Amino acid sequence: METRTIAGKSVSFTEDGYMSDMHEWNEDIAKELAKEENIELDDLHWKVLGFLREKQAAGVSLTIRSVGKSGIVDIKGFYTLFPGGPLKLSTKIAGLPKPASCV
Amino acid sequence: MKKIIILGAGTAGTIMLNKLRKALPRDEWTITIIDQHRTHYYQPGFLFIPFGIYNREDVIKPKADFFPPGVNVIFDETDKIHPEESSILMKDGTVHKYDYLIIATGTQTRPEETPGLKGDLWYKEIFDFYTIEGAMALREYFKRWEGGHLVMNIAEVPYKCPVAPLEFVFLADDYFTKIGIRNKVKISYVTPMSGAFTKPRATKMLSGLLEEKNIDVIPDFYLESVDNEKKVIRSYDEREISFDVLTIVPVNMGSEIIERSNMGDDLFFVPTDKHTLRSEQYENIFVLGDAANIPTSKAGSVAHFAADILFENLLSAIEGRELHAKFDGHANCYIETGGGKGSLIDFNYETEPLPGTFPLPGIGPFGLLKNTRMNHYGKVMFRWIYWHILLKGKEMPIDPLMSMAGKCKNC
């Protein structure tokens, strides 16, 4: 566990660099986290982040496929928004746990 | 007479059937189990078939051998569940009413979800090992294969038994070494996750094995399609990986019965309370095993542990009490690592796999996240335990909820 100051707020992170408490998150923090990944957030980004946070709060496992079926973007579009590893990057910016397997 | 129906006679459904028949008086409750298939597969054994370690006979037995006396058995196809009417409609039009339903319809591989996967090369140079057919076809292929690029790819998460593809590449390394062609075989592990290991402790303890065994890991690869002509897999961000033989974990989805009943999420897993194991929507429906959308591994060990909790809660529901038993997502999995060794992980919703020892009265201890011969023997012995103790719902010397005993938090 490490604590960093982001957008004027003290935020705690897990050892893999993801926020440890999704409730500490706010939009200013998201902008800063996105900047660290060289992403500038536009409307579509925000909609995806909102979708992911809503699903996570409902206890649903997040998948690339479910974002592709969300009606916000298709899977290719999701890659365009978060190049390289869309779910890995978007969950990080959305203040959610790292998508992980059991090991 | 009151009625309980168990839909699905796999690991989860069979365990539940045995527990319930023992507990509920026969003059008050009829218990019915429904499944379209008559053969029970020991699915953890599929992994060993491609390497000639197990044969078909080692992994199949009639389902009916594991049913207790005094239950109704229906081997027939289900069309859909009508949860509002508490009934099940069979394909032949028969209707079965229930007071309580336990959904144990599992997860299925759906290769047709990926364009090109079930094309010309299916079961010729592209194989799954999650079906008896795929595992047997791969066995035949490996007998004659002289080497090249073996690509192990996971199409989507979640999938059944998350460690199986890792075990597969470890066993492949061992097998090709033994038959003397390892120097002609390149093995790649291609995953949509950020790595072969994603949890901090497991990464630290086990990722060295991949390097040691010369297995390439290609992370963040999310499969879009398979090109049979060029023999490449293609990702959504247009990367291509060429293969000589492709072993694949196809997209996993819940049963078509759940799909037709409109009771699933977007992968047709049933929304389930992760602690009580009751359906989120219907008070008289519980969900056990892979069919549930609970955020833990899809694995037999989970179904086995969850069965104890579901059993408690179903009895509470029947007696009109609150559902007091809470499942913690406990899973316990052996990981075959090749060369007669294995590792073991034990975890739940909150606790990642930790190093240490796993005490098991009379047999253990086993080494957690360690690579030992003892762990391999555990896996070998488990097949006997599965057929003779676990499926019959008999007591095992292991608690349904995860214990911290032996685990080391700061190692």
Side-chain angles (χ1 to χ4, degrees):
Chain A
M1 195 95 106
E2 94 179 274
T3 307
R4 285 196 280 148
T5 303
I6 296 188
K9 210 177 150 192
S10 168
V11 182
S12 51
F13 287 85
T14 60
E15 52 198 303
D16 39 32
Y18 285 66
M19 282 178 61
S20 16
D21 179 1
M22 68 179 280
H23 304 291
E24 287 185 351
W25 182 90
N26 64 36
E27 294 194 353
D28 290 333
I29 293 173
K31 281 180 203 162
E32 290 298 317
L33 292 175
K35 215 179 274 173
E36 290 172 15
E37 304 293 341
N38 297 314
I39 292 169
E40 196 169 328
L41 300 175
D42 65 21
D43 277 359
L44 224 41
H45 286 102
W46 286 114
K47 277 187 191 155
V48 171
L49 298 182
F51 172 82
L52 293 171
R53 286 184 59 84
E54 199 180 296
K55 290 281 167 188
Q56 178 75 23
V60 177
S61 297
L62 307 175
T63 62
I64 292 180
R65 195 164 294 258
S66 66
V67 176
K69 286 182 179 174
S70 65
I72 302 166
V73 281
D74 60 12
I75 294 172
K76 289 237 188 247
F78 191 26
Y79 266 92
T80 315
L81 293 177
F82 302 95
L87 194 64
K88 183 171 83 169
L89 291 170
S90 58
T91 47
K92 196 174 197 178
I93 296 166
L96 305 175
K98 180 182 172 184
S101 173
C102 67
V103 284
Chain B
M1 286 285 263
K2 293 199 168 187
K3 296 188 180 85
I4 292 178
I5 293 180
I6 300 173
L7 194 56
T11 307
T14 305
I15 292 174
M16 220 48 227
L17 180 70
N18 281 293
K19 279 181 179 293
L20 287 174
R21 188 62 293 172
K22 215 168 141 193
L24 297 173
R26 287 196 199 183
D27 53 354
E28 288 175 36
W29 289 90
T30 60
I31 306 178
T32 303
I33 191 157
I34 303 177
D35 199 300
Q36 59 173 316
H37 299 295
R38 287 169 186 268
T39 303
H40 191 109
Y41 293 101
Y42 174 61
Q43 295 177 68
F46 287 177
L47 175 71
F48 296 104
I49 289 176
F51 308 109
I53 302 167
Y54 282 175
N55 290 310
R56 179 192 283 268
E57 300 71 46
D58 295 316
V59 299
I60 61 173
K61 287 185 193 289
K63 280 185 196 286
D65 285 7
F66 303 95
F67 298 161
V71 297
N72 294 332
V73 178
I74 299 172
F75 284 123
D76 212 344
E77 282 184 81
T78 302
D79 182 15
K80 58 176 89 160
I81 304 164
H82 288 298
E84 312 289 354
E85 291 149 34
S86 293
S87 69
I88 287 176
L89 174 66
M90 305 301 289
K91 282 248 170 103
D92 67 5
T94 317
V95 174
H96 301 289
K97 299 279 288 177
Y98 59 79
D99 294 284
Y100 289 95
L101 171 67
I102 296 166
I103 297 177
T105 44
T107 174
Q108 298 167 348
T109 52
R110 305 260 190 129
E112 60 283 355
E113 287 289 313
T114 303
L117 182 53
K118 236 179 157 175
D120 294 342
L121 298 180
W122 185 245
Y123 289 179
K124 294 194 179 75
E125 286 174 325
I126 300 176
F127 305 89
D128 72 289
F129 52 84
Y130 279 76
T131 58
I132 188 81
E133 295 80 14
M136 294 296 292
L138 185 54
R139 171 72 198 130
E140 288 309 308
Y141 182 83
F142 277 163
K143 279 183 187 170
R144 287 184 302 273
W145 196 44
E146 288 171 1
H149 190 194
L150 166 63
V151 173
M152 172 75 245
N153 175 230
I154 298 152
E156 176 62 292
V157 287
Y159 58 94
K160 186 171 355 204
C161 191
V163 294
L166 264 175
E167 296 181 280
F168 179 84
V169 291
F170 290 147
L171 289 174
D173 164 71
D174 193 33
Y175 174 77
F176 294 121
T177 304
K178 279 187 185 140
I179 65 169
I181 62 166
R182 183 63 180 93
N183 59 344
K184 293 180 196 145
V185 177
K186 176 179 152 95
I187 304 177
S188 297
Y189 184 88
V190 183
T191 169
M193 307 299 290
S194 58
F197 295 97
T198 55
K199 293 280 165 95
R201 299 307 191 297
T203 306
K204 193 172 138 193
M205 301 288 288
L206 297 177
S207 59
L209 283 172
L210 290 157
E211 218 169 298
E212 196 181 293
K213 294 169 191 293
N214 197 18
I215 294 161
D216 284 350
V217 177
I218 301 165
D220 297 316
F221 186 96
Y222 191 61
L223 181 67
E224 182 186 28
S225 61
V226 179
D227 188 328
N228 285 253
E229 235 161 74
K230 282 175 71 184
K231 287 176 69 168
V232 297
I233 53 174
R234 199 169 289 122
S235 69
Y236 276 95
D237 54 349
E238 279 152 30
R239 284 182 289 156
E240 289 186 349
I241 296 169
S242 65
F243 62 84
D244 293 303
V245 56
L246 172 66
T247 52
I248 183 115
V249 182
V251 174
N252 271 232
M253 287 187 175
S255 161
E256 285 163 3
I257 301 168
I258 304 304
E259 184 176 354
R260 287 193 291 267
S261 310
N262 275 323
M263 289 177 70
D265 62 14
D266 52 11
L267 292 169
F268 310 126
F269 297 120
V270 184
T272 304
D273 184 296
K274 69 177 190 175
H275 295 302
T276 65
L277 305 173
R278 180 150 71 180
S279 148
E280 300 260 15
Q281 274 177 291
Y282 303 99
E283 289 218 327
N284 63 342
I285 298 180
F286 288 81
V287 192
L288 187 64
D290 297 347
N293 77 336
I294 59 174
T296 184
S297 291
K298 298 205 175 294
S301 68
V302 173
H304 165 238
F305 296 135
D308 283 359
I309 307 299
L310 196 156
F311 176 75
E312 288 294 320
N313 283 339
L314 180 60
L315 295 189
S316 296
I318 286 171
E319 291 167 14
R321 291 182 281 127
E322 226 177 277
L323 310 188
H324 61 86
K326 303 272 180 268
F327 187 51
D328 65 349
H330 187 194
N332 180 287
C333 310
Y334 288 104
I335 307 174
E336 276 295 290
T337 54
K341 290 188 178 180
S343 193
L344 178 66
I345 52 173
D346 190 66
F347 59 96
N348 67 13
Y349 292 139
E350 309 297 334
T351 310
E352 67 171 299
L354 293 172
T357 54
F358 185 75
L360 194 60
I363 308 171
F366 295 101
L368 291 169
L369 285 180
K370 289 174 187 138
N371 193 29
T372 68
R373 288 199 178 276
M374 185 64 195
N375 288 337
H376 166 70
Y377 296 135
K379 179 125 184 168
V380 173
M381 273 189 306
F382 183 71
R383 185 166 60 113
W384 190 91
I385 293 172
Y386 181 86
W387 291 127
H388 294 91
I389 299 175
L390 188 131
L391 278 183
K392 294 187 174 164
K394 293 185 188 165
E395 209 153 317
M396 299 244 293
I398 171 167
D399 202 64
L401 300 179
M402 197 200 78
S403 157
M404 283 303 289
K407 293 191 176 68
C408 177
K409 261 185 173 168
N410 301 310
C411 295

